[in-house]
Amino acid sequence: MIQSNILLRYPSLRTFFNLRTNIAALSFVSCSIPLFLMGHVTMGIAFSLGSISCGFADTSSVTKYRIYDFLIALPLFFCISLGIEVVFPHSLLFVGSLAIVSFALFMLAVLTPRLGAIGFAAILLAIYAMLLHLDGRSVWLVPLWLTGGAMWYIFWQVLAIFFLPNQESKDILSDLYQVLAKKLMLHDQGFVLATDKNQLFIKSAQFRSQIATLSHTLEYRIHQQFCCGEDNAKLQDIYRFLKIAERINEQTRLMYFTSTPLLKQYNPQWLENIHYANQQISQYLAQVSVNNVHHLTLPEIDFKTLRQYQVAEEAQDEAITAHSFINKLDIIYLLLQELKNKATTIAITPQIVSKPIVLTWKWQDIVSKLVSQMTLKSSYFRHALRGTLSLTTGLIVVRSLNLDFGFWTLMTSLLILRPNLSMTWTRLLQRLTGTVCGLIMVGGLLHFQVSTDILPFVFCIAAVLFFHTSARHYGFAVFFVTLFVFAGFSLNGQGDNIMLPRLDNTVLGVFIPLIFVFILTPGWQKKSFPTQLSTTIKGYTDYLISFHLYLANKDPQHIEKLQRHFQDCVVYDTNLFDHWMGYLGEPQRNSQTSEHILLCSRSSNIILRILTQLNENKDKITLNNQIEAEIKSATHSLIQLQQLLQQTLNHTELFKHISKQEQLIYQSFTYIEDEIYRLDNNQLITLLAKEITLFLNAIDHQAQK
């Protein structure tokens, strides 16, 4: 019990307990320490940086495409680093070539996402080559060392592919089950705590967003492997686990529960028993992986006793929600039992399998694709332009002011730059915080004069921790990379001189890209919110139309289309909440606007929860005149709502009209949240129509004139 609680609370510990593969960290350590011990410090640093760059370039899940990527990356890395060595002494040529080459490398993302990753890694490697440049050294040495580090990474990756096939997919699956466990425990809070429904929705939606990201990433990887013929029993098993995880996630969407004072007064033991059962299931979920599920002991839970518990007569109405929670928990328990079944072959519908994005080698197609994106309307072009301007501006400032270790400015700019202002601002704050905290630690190490015998281990440990935190907590990753930089320069005899330059260059490096993001269409979340809301409403409309067709025909061929529309609804609702999270990440935000976006997100989620309940019970619903009328009414209201949103894409007008009905909307969905569990399918459809009509009236400013 203690171990599972620790693993659930601190999921990053599973990385070490399960010996999760991290090839970049392994190749980094295995090449750094031997070279340091032999006295080849600069060479060891270069090999390490080459490994890091190759890790960024390695994004494919399909073995043969991975090999293609490596064959492209190695000569590109060598040529880019060699070019840096050649143009380094010539400032004008250096700036001009950096602008042209970096823009071209950024634009590789237009051709395929994998080439985009290789382009980013090549730019990063170019900056590493700038950091390692030394006048008088042969121009071939640094390119050879950096490329050698990349080859060392590839060697370890080949070993991992051979001895630990599908390990990355297993890691993502483990992360997915951990987040599901957290979400399930969150919905359990209503049994023991007074819960703020707004905060419960926010925390739950954050977990939903993580689950969606992990689920889509894993499904994409598996589909690509299936398409390329990499089908095997273990991959089938991973896919089966993924499908069960998605069904568990769907059940948790219907498990919002807040115990009433009556239930707490008359049946506290019953609530405690339900809470304990939920905790046991959550702890089991947090430990699930493909490798260990057959060795894990599923907790024994007597759901029959939980359902038959004698509820006080005064609390009978309130007990309906608790019984609904027990039913969903029972379904999750049955799904967990399915995990222990032996893997069976799963057929994947061809229509939903996206083929790998493969580069066409027809030059006319490549040129046409690139030219079509040469406009500010293209997100690829905007990002490439921002990146190029940030790097060239940074290089001009560094060269003009002759800054010590100035190329950190370029590296910082590259790593914090993101497609919009919200993401860049969040990254900026994390970079500054991580750097300052890291420099405080560096000051302590300098004060105590750490032995040079220990520095190689500090260098490697900091690098490993950087790899393990970079994808989850960028601020922590920056903290560790600051220690890594200090140890590396200390081994080179320059450790005492890096504190102020590191801080100065970080501050300069974070504000240069921020300026260009502000100038080049920052992508304000509040301005694009009406469009995202319209897309979400369109998704609900398409689902209800398919739902009506299915009820009218009960034809199995409609099930696939209906399920596809339902999954679209889930994605759109998650995107709507992510829009709110993005707004919170912007430097200038208004609390009232934030409340309005959150209000729309909660209303959307209420609609989705009703649709989820209906979708689960679709086989039990019989179409009659009343249900048909309610579905048509809801569909008509949704179409009207979408038309209004398309006419009112001015965010100021939208939020102004929502604010007039804010209190009414809150009262409505508070009532609906409490009533969802008490209603049958027919009443749910009626309730859905009412909720949509109410929200329509809230923003229908034309009707209010």
Side-chain angles (χ1 to χ4, degrees):
M1 182 72 71
I2 293 175
Q3 185 193 17
S4 58
N5 279 328
I6 292 174
L7 294 176
L8 184 56
R9 197 170 174 187
Y10 304 104
S12 59
L13 291 177
R14 283 190 64 159
T15 300
F16 300 102
F17 292 158
N18 290 349
L19 299 178
R20 188 173 289 186
T21 306
N22 194 322
I23 301 305
L26 183 58
S27 64
F28 186 101
V29 172
S30 61
C31 69
S32 299
I33 290 184
L35 290 170
F36 288 157
L37 294 177
M38 290 187 291
H40 302 301
V41 175
T42 306
M43 185 179 178
I45 294 173
F47 260 69
S48 305
L49 297 178
S51 291
I52 293 174
S53 298
C54 198
F56 279 108
D58 182 20
T59 57
S60 179
S61 59
V62 180
T63 303
K64 69 176 181 179
Y65 291 123
R66 227 172 191 169
I67 294 170
Y68 294 159
D69 291 349
F70 290 148
L71 291 176
I72 294 171
L74 287 177
L76 181 62
F77 283 3
F78 182 79
C79 292
I80 290 291
S81 52
L82 180 62
I84 293 296
E85 290 290 300
V86 171
V87 303
F88 196 94
H90 314 288
S91 294
L92 289 178
L93 183 60
F94 195 179
V95 172
S97 59
L98 178 65
I100 295 170
V101 173
S102 61
F103 181 80
L105 291 172
F106 276 121
M107 288 299 289
L108 285 177
V110 172
L111 303 178
T112 74
R114 296 192 343 260
L115 277 181
I118 293 172
F120 175 86
I123 297 172
L124 184 62
L125 188 90
I127 299 172
Y128 289 154
M130 298 175 200
L131 289 167
L132 293 169
H133 175 81
L134 183 65
D135 291 336
R137 179 186 287 154
S138 171
V139 295
W140 302 98
L141 276 181
V142 170
L144 285 173
W145 291 342
L146 289 170
T147 310
M151 293 177 68
W152 189 245
Y153 169 87
I154 293 170
F155 167 74
W156 283 104
Q157 188 60 264
V158 169
L159 290 181
I161 292 171
F162 183 77
F163 290 107
L164 297 169
N166 300 314
Q167 183 63 39
E168 290 160 292
S169 294
K170 293 177 187 176
D171 291 343
I172 296 171
L173 188 67
S174 295
D175 289 342
L176 175 60
Y177 274 89
Q178 287 176 40
V179 181
L180 280 172
K182 290 180 180 179
K183 188 171 188 291
L184 187 57
M185 286 197 73
L186 177 71
H187 291 306
D188 179 55
Q189 288 184 3
F191 285 93
V192 291
L193 301 170
T195 306
D196 181 330
K197 288 190 176 181
N198 224 27
Q199 287 303 312
L200 178 62
F201 167 75
I202 291 170
K203 291 179 181 177
S204 173
Q206 287 173 334
F207 287 138
R208 281 193 290 116
S209 182
Q210 293 178 44
I211 289 168
T213 301
L214 291 167
S215 180
H216 294 157
T217 300
L218 183 55
E219 187 157 31
Y220 179 80
R221 289 177 61 89
I222 294 172
H223 282 174
Q224 299 302 289
Q225 290 176 272
F226 280 142
C227 276
C228 296
E230 294 189 3
D231 192 359
N232 55 56
K234 186 58 70 175
L235 195 61
Q236 288 277 350
D237 218 19
I238 293 172
Y239 188 71
R240 182 173 65 89
F241 272 57
L242 171 63
K243 293 291 106 181
I244 290 175
E246 290 176 352
R247 289 160 64 190
I248 292 173
N249 182 41
E250 191 168 310
Q251 294 304 316
T252 63
R253 196 180 303 130
L254 301 171
M255 295 180 72
Y256 287 85
F257 175 80
T258 303
S259 55
T260 64
L262 282 174
L263 273 178
K264 288 182 177 179
Q265 178 183 351
Y266 290 105
N267 296 98
Q269 188 58 48
W270 187 42
L271 293 178
E272 179 60 34
N273 291 344
I274 301 172
H275 168 65
Y276 180 67
N278 187 81
Q279 266 197 328
Q280 286 183 300
I281 292 175
S282 299
Q283 289 165 0
Y284 181 87
L285 260 177
Q287 300 176 73
V288 165
S289 72
V290 176
N291 294 333
N292 72 0
V293 71
H294 297 292
H295 308 295
L296 286 177
T297 303
L298 191 65
E300 294 185 7
I301 300 173
D302 190 347
F303 285 99
K304 184 177 179 181
T305 302
L306 282 177
R307 289 190 181 93
Q308 293 177 348
Y309 198 93
Q310 189 66 35
V311 180
E313 187 175 343
E314 294 84 351
Q316 287 292 336
D317 289 341
E318 287 79 2
I320 295 173
T321 308
H323 277 292
S324 174
F325 190 96
I326 294 171
N327 292 338
K328 300 303 176 189
L329 206 58
D330 194 5
I331 294 172
I332 292 174
Y333 188 80
L334 293 173
L335 289 171
L336 291 178
Q337 288 180 329
E338 284 187 34
L339 291 176
K340 291 181 176 291
N341 294 341
K342 291 184 178 180
T344 54
T345 302
I346 300 176
I348 300 186
T349 310
Q351 290 88 341
I352 65 173
V353 178
S354 52
K355 293 185 178 180
I357 303 174
V358 183
L359 174 65
T360 172
W361 292 106
K362 294 181 180 179
W363 290 106
Q364 297 93 332
D365 294 342
I366 293 175
V367 172
S368 174
K369 204 169 184 180
L370 288 171
V371 170
S372 68
Q373 296 294 325
M374 295 295 181
T375 167
L376 280 175
K377 293 181 179 180
S378 166
S379 60
Y380 293 108
F381 180 79
R382 292 197 304 269
H383 187 66
L385 190 58
R386 291 173 188 143
T388 302
L389 290 172
S390 298
L391 294 177
T392 51
T393 302
L395 181 58
I396 291 169
V397 172
V398 167
R399 277 293 170 99
S400 301
L401 301 179
N402 196 25
L403 297 177
D404 292 333
F405 308 108
F407 297 110
W408 280 335
T409 299
L410 279 69
M411 184 162 56
T412 299
S413 296
L414 177 68
L415 292 174
I416 75 153
L417 183 64
R418 286 295 179 267
N420 59 47
L421 177 62
S422 170
M423 296 171 71
T424 302
W425 180 256
T426 302
R427 196 86 163 177
L428 178 154
L429 296 176
Q430 294 171 342
R431 183 83 185 188
L432 284 176
T433 304
T435 299
V436 170
C437 293
L439 289 177
I440 291 172
M441 178 64 74
V442 167
L445 295 174
L446 287 172
H447 176 74
F448 291 106
Q449 298 181 343
V450 177
S451 169
T452 53
D453 295 334
I454 298 176
L455 286 175
F457 298 98
V458 174
F459 181 84
C460 293
I461 292 171
V464 170
L465 291 173
F466 160 73
F467 289 123
H468 283 289
T469 55
S470 58
R472 294 182 177 90
H473 311 288
Y474 182 66
F476 285 109
V478 174
F479 171 81
F480 290 121
V481 87
T482 302
L483 295 182
F484 153 70
V485 167
F486 160 73
F489 277 90
S490 294
L491 289 167
N492 226 7
Q494 298 174 291
D496 296 340
N497 306 322
I498 73 160
M499 288 191 65
L500 285 178
R502 175 75 176 175
L503 183 59
D504 293 343
N505 290 306
T506 296
V507 172
L508 182 61
V510 297
F511 283 108
I512 288 176
L514 189 66
I515 291 170
F516 289 113
V517 172
F518 264 112
I519 294 172
L520 297 171
T521 57
W524 297 101
Q525 299 288 312
K526 62 183 177 183
K527 291 184 179 180
S528 58
F529 181 75
T531 302
Q532 181 61 59
L533 183 59
S534 177
T535 302
T536 305
I537 297 303
K538 175 67 164 55
Y540 294 150
T541 306
D542 291 341
Y543 175 80
L544 279 182
I545 292 172
S546 292
F547 186 69
H548 183 227
L549 284 173
Y550 173 76
L551 292 183
N553 300 299
K554 290 286 184 173
D555 191 337
Q557 68 179 3
H558 289 293
I559 293 178
E560 183 188 327
K561 185 178 180 181
L562 181 66
Q563 198 60 27
R564 189 163 62 248
H565 283 308
F566 178 70
Q567 292 303 323
D568 288 342
C569 291
V570 175
V571 171
Y572 296 146
D573 178 70
T574 303
N575 289 343
L576 203 63
F577 176 79
D578 287 344
H579 220 86
W580 178 73
M581 291 292 291
Y583 180 71
L584 294 184
E586 291 182 347
Q588 296 178 355
R589 57 181 181 270
N590 179 280
S591 59
Q592 192 172 30
T593 301
S594 172
E595 288 177 6
H596 292 158
I597 295 176
L598 183 62
L599 181 66
C600 292
S601 298
R602 281 194 68 183
S603 290
S604 168
N605 190 247
I606 290 293
I607 294 173
L608 178 64
R609 283 162 59 187
I610 296 174
L611 293 183
T612 302
Q613 194 98 318
L614 293 174
N615 192 66
E616 190 176 81
N617 299 328
K618 58 183 178 291
D619 294 331
K620 303 175 184 176
I621 300 175
T622 303
L623 191 65
N624 55 38
N625 292 336
Q626 181 186 354
I627 290 179
E628 186 168 21
E630 294 291 357
I631 292 176
K632 287 182 177 179
S633 171
T635 305
H636 179 68
S637 294
L638 281 172
I639 292 171
Q640 282 186 291
L641 182 55
Q642 189 191 359
Q643 290 172 346
L644 277 172
L645 288 168
Q646 289 174 339
Q647 296 167 9
T648 316
L649 293 180
N650 185 322
H651 65 283
T652 305
E653 289 294 312
L654 173 65
F655 295 138
K656 182 172 71 176
H657 296 299
I658 289 177
S659 65
K660 294 178 182 178
Q661 302 290 334
E662 185 174 352
Q663 193 59 40
L664 185 61
I665 298 173
Y666 266 115
Q667 291 174 354
S668 168
F669 64 54
T670 299
Y671 164 76
I672 292 171
E673 281 180 331
D674 293 336
E675 292 299 312
I676 282 178
Y677 305 103
R678 306 171 190 270
L679 305 178
D680 59 25
N681 297 322
N682 295 6
Q683 292 170 318
L684 275 174
I685 295 173
T686 304
L687 195 63
L688 174 65
K690 286 182 179 178
E691 168 68 4
I692 294 169
T693 303
L694 180 72
F695 193 75
L696 171 66
N697 293 335
I699 69 167
D700 189 358
H701 55 284
Q702 294 177 346
Q704 298 170 30
K705 289 182 179 178

